[in-house]
Amino acid sequence: MSKVRVRFAPSPTGYLHIGGARTALFNFLFARRHQGTFVLRIEDTDTVRSTQESVDEILKAMRWLGLSWDEGPFYQSGRFPLYKEKVQQLLRQGKAYRCYCTPEELEQKREQAMAEGRKPKYDGTCRNLKESREEKPYVVRFRSPESGVTTFEDLIKGAISFHNDELDDIIIQRTDGTPTYNFVVVVDDVEMGITHVIRGDDHVNNTPRQIHMYEALGAALPAFAHVPMILGADKTRLSKRHGATSVMAYEEMGYLPEALVNYLVRLGWSHGDQEIFSLEELIEKFSLENVGRSAGVFNPEKLLWLNSHYIKNGDSRRLGGLLQRHLERMGLAVPRPEVLPDVVVLFRERDKTLEEMAKNAAFLFRDKPELDEAAAEKFLVAANRGLLEAIILHLERCDPFTHDALEDCIGRVMAETGLKMGKVAQPVRVAVTGGTVSPSVFAILPILGREETLKRLRAALAMIK
């Protein structure tokens, strides 16, 4: 195999969606697997809909997923002189021609063709014009072959054929001089030396037209690999009605990038029965031969399961840093970030996303707990006043303020009062968390720290008094 060069070429008219992210991932893994080059190209020829905000969001999502590119980003909007030069080259060689038909005339031709049961393709009115009418507005059309068959071997789908008489003389340059998508894609792939075009199978129908353009430009064809689309649970194309489709929406919901990468690569590719892959394993094992031909069905429960796995097994320090972002998005300050790894360890077995973890751990970072009224009426009562005073007294002296030391201190309270753990722990839990359900108080109190713990216990005691 010659030096592999692949590209991911998103249009910056919105966020990076799940389907685009999978295409980027497959290109990235293929390049890394073959020690090739991964090129990022921004296809912003649609100057009306393309925005810098969308570019920034796409780059942010790719960085979050860990899909580092080797060259680029290149912007098509900065390459218009090249495209115009190539259009002129094809005009000089008779491989393209000027079309002066007005939009009204084209619509009339389309309606007539449909009325006669013909395919509504351009009828070639201007295809063989000899005289130039440059004073009139015109588009430039590519001169497609009118007979024969175009066949290519897709690396995923196998041999695919198109009858050339079904193809149109497509426009490659608009009346305002701007180039069109199918043409600039080919020019860029030729100029950038792309060896493999890995993209969604919604581009299959563009391929024969593009093959003719490669040949017209005298360029070697790349290998094509069209990846099946992603469907929702109802087997229709994945869309917003199936849930979030933006990559960064999953970051906001508390998913980990490694979970989404693992899930996306398995959405159409397999390696035996293995489900969980590190990025290093994916680079080592990925191949186009193992990409399926049928559409993948997006399963949110499977993604959630994978995310839970990575939370349970991830580095608690790294996850603590990520958790801090979610807490701060909730408006909560984190004055002691060093406790966040302990928070992760405390909640990781029960919470499947970082957003869920942040909500469940929020009581640790609020100025005061949000008291559950029923819990307060049951446990923060006059009968427990002496108990709370004793607990405060022992915790003031508890040193160090650690799990084991706190167990000893509370044990002394139990010995003095003759109460069992449940009778002692529940008032403490309600006072410091606001409710009756939480992880062990001996794990919670060291995270809160002595000062905050005593502040909450004294506030509860003051409420009783």
Side-chain angles (χ1 to χ4, degrees):
M1 185 181 290
S2 60
K3 178 70 171 176
V4 165
R5 289 178 62 83
V6 297
R7 47 73 164 179
F8 176 56
S11 298
T13 55
Y15 50 73
L16 180 62
H17 55 78
I18 290 296
R22 187 186 63 168
T23 299
L25 175 60
F26 282 8
N27 277 280
F28 169 84
L29 293 175
F30 189 78
R32 295 291 175 266
R33 173 74 175 81
H34 297 285
Q35 294 83 50
T37 302
F38 179 40
V39 179
L40 177 60
R41 186 171 76 220
I42 305 298
E43 298 192 336
D44 58 345
T45 53
D46 186 342
T47 54
V48 175
R49 297 172 60 221
S50 298
T51 66
Q52 186 59 46
E53 181 183 5
S54 292
V55 172
D56 294 341
E57 283 296 308
I58 290 168
L59 300 185
K60 180 180 176 182
M62 289 187 67
R63 290 190 181 104
W64 181 69
L65 290 170
L67 305 183
S68 55
W69 52 93
D70 304 306
E71 294 181 12
F74 298 106
Y75 293 84
Q76 287 184 331
S77 58
R79 297 164 63 82
F80 278 14
L82 170 65
Y83 307 140
K84 289 187 176 182
E85 175 191 324
K86 295 299 180 182
V87 168
Q88 291 304 313
Q89 174 187 324
L90 295 183
L91 283 169
R92 286 194 304 271
Q93 295 171 345
K95 297 173 181 177
Y97 60 92
R98 295 179 178 87
C99 173
Y100 303 94
C101 297
T102 65
E104 294 76 20
E105 289 170 336
L106 292 173
E107 178 60 23
Q108 186 178 357
K109 293 173 188 290
R110 190 187 74 83
E111 290 178 356
Q112 184 176 344
M114 293 181 69
E116 295 172 0
R118 292 183 287 112
K119 184 175 180 178
K121 56 180 256 186
Y122 180 61
D123 66 358
T125 298
C126 298
R127 185 179 172 102
N128 297 310
L129 281 179
K130 299 299 182 186
E131 72 278 10
S132 175
R133 305 175 184 172
E134 293 193 28
E135 72 284 353
K136 289 188 63 178
Y138 63 87
V139 298
V140 177
R141 291 184 182 272
F142 181 76
R143 194 184 298 274
S144 296
E146 295 180 285
S147 61
V149 176
T150 298
T151 300
F152 66 96
E153 188 69 26
D154 191 284
L155 295 180
I156 294 174
K157 295 179 175 295
I160 300 177
S161 296
F162 291 85
H163 291 280
N164 292 334
D165 60 7
E166 292 290 311
L167 305 178
D168 215 342
D169 284 354
I170 66 169
I171 295 170
I172 60 175
Q173 182 176 288
R174 303 180 185 92
T175 53
D176 62 2
T178 58
T180 58
Y181 169 79
N182 274 295
F183 182 64
V184 297
V185 164
V186 172
V187 172
D188 281 343
D189 285 346
V190 171
E191 293 294 313
M192 295 176 183
I194 301 303
T195 60
H196 295 74
V197 174
I198 305 169
R199 59 189 179 185
D201 66 1
D202 51 334
H203 290 284
V204 166
N205 289 336
N206 291 328
T207 306
R209 297 179 173 89
Q210 292 174 2
I211 286 173
H212 297 151
M213 293 180 196
Y214 279 103
E215 293 170 345
L217 292 169
L221 293 179
F224 293 97
H226 290 91
V227 180
M229 67 174 62
I230 300 175
L231 304 179
D234 59 358
K235 303 298 174 66
T236 61
R237 186 165 185 163
L238 191 67
S239 65
K240 288 182 180 179
R241 71 176 180 277
H242 298 109
T245 58
S246 159
V247 166
M248 293 313 292
Y250 284 93
E251 186 274 333
E252 292 169 8
M253 291 190 294
Y255 286 81
L256 299 177
E258 55 267 39
L260 191 55
V261 163
N262 195 152
Y263 181 71
L264 287 178
V265 79
R266 287 286 292 110
L267 201 59
W269 174 86
S270 62
H271 184 80
D273 295 327
Q274 187 172 344
E275 289 288 349
I276 295 172
F277 298 85
S278 67
L279 188 59
E280 292 72 22
E281 285 180 299
L282 289 174
I283 290 170
E284 176 192 344
K285 300 177 187 301
F286 183 79
S287 68
L288 291 174
E289 288 78 11
N290 288 333
V291 175
R293 295 187 180 188
S294 57
V297 177
F298 193 85
N299 183 339
E301 289 74 25
K302 182 71 171 289
L303 174 57
L304 195 61
W305 174 81
L306 274 170
N307 201 60
S308 175
H309 165 82
Y310 283 106
I311 285 178
K312 287 177 182 175
N313 295 281
D315 178 75
S316 59
R317 288 171 296 180
R318 170 179 169 256
L319 294 179
L322 298 176
L323 177 63
Q324 183 170 350
R325 296 183 204 168
H326 290 273
L327 291 165
E328 290 172 348
R329 284 173 184 167
M330 294 170 65
L332 299 173
V334 183
R336 297 167 57 225
E338 65 273 12
V339 305
L340 289 170
D342 294 330
V343 175
V344 170
V345 171
L346 195 59
F347 287 93
R348 72 193 321 167
E349 292 298 324
R350 64 182 72 192
D351 295 335
K352 295 180 179 180
T353 69
L354 291 177
E355 183 183 44
E356 183 182 8
M357 187 180 290
K359 289 177 179 177
N360 288 332
F363 70 87
L364 293 166
F365 302 95
R366 292 197 172 99
D367 292 335
K368 59 182 180 179
E370 295 179 344
L371 275 176
D372 176 81
E373 195 172 314
E377 287 178 357
K378 184 174 181 180
F379 293 103
L380 302 184
V381 293
N384 283 332
R385 184 186 304 159
L387 172 62
L388 284 174
E389 288 173 340
I391 291 170
I392 290 169
L393 184 65
H394 279 277
L395 294 190
E396 285 174 335
R397 300 169 183 170
C398 188
D399 189 38
F401 207 72
T402 61
H403 183 287
D404 292 346
L406 285 163
E407 272 194 331
D408 290 341
C409 290
I410 296 299
R412 287 194 287 273
V413 172
M414 290 164 58
E416 288 176 8
T417 60
L419 296 172
K420 292 186 178 180
M421 177 59 74
K423 296 290 186 180
V424 175
Q426 279 300 72
V428 174
R429 177 175 282 110
V430 174
V432 299
T433 73
T436 57
V437 179
S438 77
S440 164
V441 293
F442 302 120
I444 292 170
L445 301 189
I447 294 173
L448 280 172
R450 184 197 313 275
E451 183 181 336
E452 181 64 22
T453 296
L454 290 171
K455 184 185 88 170
R456 295 186 181 197
L457 287 169
R458 286 169 183 148
L461 184 60
M463 188 177 73
I464 292 174
K465 289 181 178 179

